[in-house]
């Protein structure tokens, strides 16, 4: 079969590779319908390895080269064990997180922070291929009302929903989102579902700001032109936002988030960043602010699929490009050269 494999920074190759083996008890094999390009994939392409391990992964035993891609929908072609509600031939969205299933965190249902966890497309061959092996426990059957291309967005939408849940966002809150890229956009959609009163975004790219205003953002600021902290402070009755969610992973913006959130407010760091962050302890202690990390999602994909089914969540503004797997290497090059051109792009091995 064909797969778009990562060999190293800047080195993606469309290659012929063996079919996935028969799935083990905790696995399923999917025929891929669509797979989204994530910021994590772009970072691995630009400057990896970061989350890809050069040595065999301790849980999967896989080392590169491997196909990227963990935001995927597909059709079940083989099951390693019976799964209630899932059968061969079903259309599904996949939770890509491998987990050991026996550690303290897995026993608590916090499988996404299992010490041995990894992701399809980073710790095992991913969805930029004709077929892929995924965790059988992470399959969510797709209703007819949810098309395959939007179903591939269930994973990033779940990341946004998980971040908003971690931030404790409630109806009537004021929320500031730092970064209007795909994850920031997913956070915005989830915050709207929570019934926020004011929803503000800091985003330097004008096309993204315009698109955000089209999905109900109260105001989208250019951080190069205005003092975002001051503007949101003034618009919230000189109190500040109840929650600030950073979707960039930029250390300086994490520091800004702490200085911006109201007294007693919550900061959630949702962007995967690298490097150290320095806080003034007084900014936390004297004002009783909370700072939380958030990683991926946990049991959120079924919630997202149901929201898509009912129409409460409209993901169509997030999906801005559909391409064939054969175009994948060029798509990666284009996305890294021009971030403003797209929000979420999906690839299909089936041809267009």
């Amino acid at each position: 079969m064909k797969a778009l494999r990562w060999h190293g920074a800047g080195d993606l190759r469309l290659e012929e590779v063996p079919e996935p083996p028969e799935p083990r008890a905790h696995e399923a094999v999917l025929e891929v319908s669509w797979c989204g390009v994530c910021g994590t994939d772009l970072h691995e392409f630009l400057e990896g390895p970061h989350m890809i391990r050069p040595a065999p992964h301790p849980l999967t035993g896989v080392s590169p080269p491997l196909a990227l891609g963990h935001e995927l929908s597909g059709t079940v072609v083989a099951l390693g064990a019976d799964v209630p509600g899932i059968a061969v031939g079903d259309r599904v969205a996949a939770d890509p997180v491998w987990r050991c299933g026996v550690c303290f965190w897995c026993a608590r249902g916090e499988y996404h922070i299992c010490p041995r966890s990894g992701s399809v497309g980073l710790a095992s061959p991913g969805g930029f291929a004709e077929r892929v092996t995924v965790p059988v426990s992470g399959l969510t059957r797709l209703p007819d009302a949810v098309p395959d291309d939007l179903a591939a967005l269930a994973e990033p939408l779940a990341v946004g929903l998980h971040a908003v849940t971690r931030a404790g966002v409630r109806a009537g809150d004021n929320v500031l989102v730092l970064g209007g890229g795909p994850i920031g956009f997913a956070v915005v959609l989830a915050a709207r579902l929570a019934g926020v009163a004011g929803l503000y975004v800091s985003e330097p790219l004008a096309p993204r700001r315009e698109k955000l205003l089209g999905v109900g953002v109260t105001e989208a600021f250019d951080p190069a032109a205005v003092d975002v902290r001051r503007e949101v402070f003034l618009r919230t009755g000189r109190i500040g936002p109840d929650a600030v969610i950073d979707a960039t992973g930029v250390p300086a913006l994490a520091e800004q988030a702490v200085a911006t959130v109201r007294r007693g407010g919550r900061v959630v760091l949702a962007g995967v960043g690298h490097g150290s962050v320095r806080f003034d302890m007084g900014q936390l202690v004297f004002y009783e602010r909370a700072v939380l990390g958030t990683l991926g999602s946990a049991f959120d994909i079924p919630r997202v699929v149901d929201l898509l089914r009912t129409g409460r969540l409209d993901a169509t503004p997030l999906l801005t490009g559909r391409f064939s797997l054969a175009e994948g290497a060029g798509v990666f090059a284009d996305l890294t050269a021009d971030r403003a051109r797209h929000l979420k792009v999906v690839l299909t091995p089936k041809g267009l």
Side-chain angles (χ1 to χ4, degrees), residues 3-351:
L4 185 65
R5 298 209 297 172
W6 181 94
H7 286 258
D11 188 0
L12 285 181
R13 307 178 199 174
L14 187 65
E15 300 176 312
E16 289 284 343
V17 300
E19 295 273 351
E22 285 296 312
R24 293 174 290 181
H26 63 289
E27 299 172 342
V29 176
L30 307 183
E31 180 179 83
V32 177
S33 298
W34 292 92
C35 187
V37 179
C38 177
T40 300
D41 298 321
L42 293 175
H43 282 299
E44 297 294 339
F45 171 68
L46 275 173
E47 55 197 26
H50 288 302
M51 298 182 74
I52 294 174
R53 296 174 182 243
H57 189 278
L59 191 59
T60 67
V62 173
S63 57
L66 53 76
L68 296 173
H70 58 273
E71 304 173 354
L72 62 114
S73 64
T75 300
V76 179
V77 294
L79 287 169
D82 290 336
V83 182
I86 300 290
V88 170
D90 282 347
R91 298 166 53 247
V92 294
D95 184 331
V97 179
W98 296 110
R99 74 297 302 260
C100 75
V102 296
C103 71
F104 171 85
W105 290 272
C106 286
R108 291 169 53 89
E110 297 172 341
Y111 63 88
H112 61 307
I113 52 174
C114 166
R116 299 178 67 200
S117 68
S119 174
V120 171
L122 298 167
S124 69
F128 295 144
E130 294 183 75
R131 280 163 289 282
V132 63
T133 300
V134 298
V136 71
S137 58
L139 300 180
T140 299
R141 188 173 180 273
L142 295 174
D144 292 340
V146 180
D148 292 329
D149 54 355
L150 292 183
L153 306 187
E155 196 275 344
L157 290 168
V159 171
L161 181 61
H162 188 67
V164 168
T165 303
R166 288 280 287 165
V169 174
R170 295 169 291 190
D173 277 357
N174 289 302
V175 175
L176 170 63
V177 181
L178 302 179
I183 295 303
F185 206 95
V187 168
V188 163
L189 295 178
R192 283 184 58 209
L193 286 171
V196 295
L199 183 52
Y200 306 94
V201 180
S202 174
E203 167 55 50
L205 299 177
R208 288 183 174 177
R209 293 198 302 273
E210 293 171 12
K211 201 165 186 68
L212 287 159
L213 291 171
V215 296
V217 166
T218 307
E219 202 157 354
F221 301 103
D222 179 358
V226 300
D227 181 342
V228 175
R229 178 178 180 271
R230 180 178 184 277
E231 296 301 323
V232 177
F233 180 72
L234 293 175
R235 285 159 177 75
T236 54
R238 295 181 176 270
I239 293 173
D242 299 284
V244 178
I245 302 175
D246 172 57
T248 70
V250 176
L253 292 183
E255 297 171 21
Q256 178 184 318
V258 171
T260 301
V261 75
R262 69 163 172 82
R263 296 180 184 221
R266 304 164 300 281
V267 171
V268 167
L269 306 179
V272 177
H274 307 281
S276 300
V277 178
R278 297 181 63 183
F279 298 127
D280 178 348
M281 288 184 64
Q283 291 275 342
L284 299 179
V285 176
F286 295 137
Y287 301 148
E288 208 168 69
R289 291 161 167 154
V291 179
L292 299 171
T294 181
L295 177 67
S297 65
F299 302 110
D300 294 287
I301 288 179
R303 296 170 62 197
V304 166
V305 168
D306 202 46
L307 288 166
L308 291 170
R309 177 188 64 82
T310 60
R312 291 189 62 211
L313 177 58
D314 179 10
T316 53
L318 179 58
L319 181 54
T320 57
R322 299 170 179 83
F323 299 91
S324 70
L325 187 64
E327 299 173 281
V331 169
F332 268 76
D334 289 345
L335 290 174
T336 55
D338 182 7
R339 292 190 302 127
R341 186 175 179 184
H342 286 287
L343 277 171
K344 180 57 66 176
V345 164
V346 291
L347 306 181
T348 179
K350 297 183 176 183

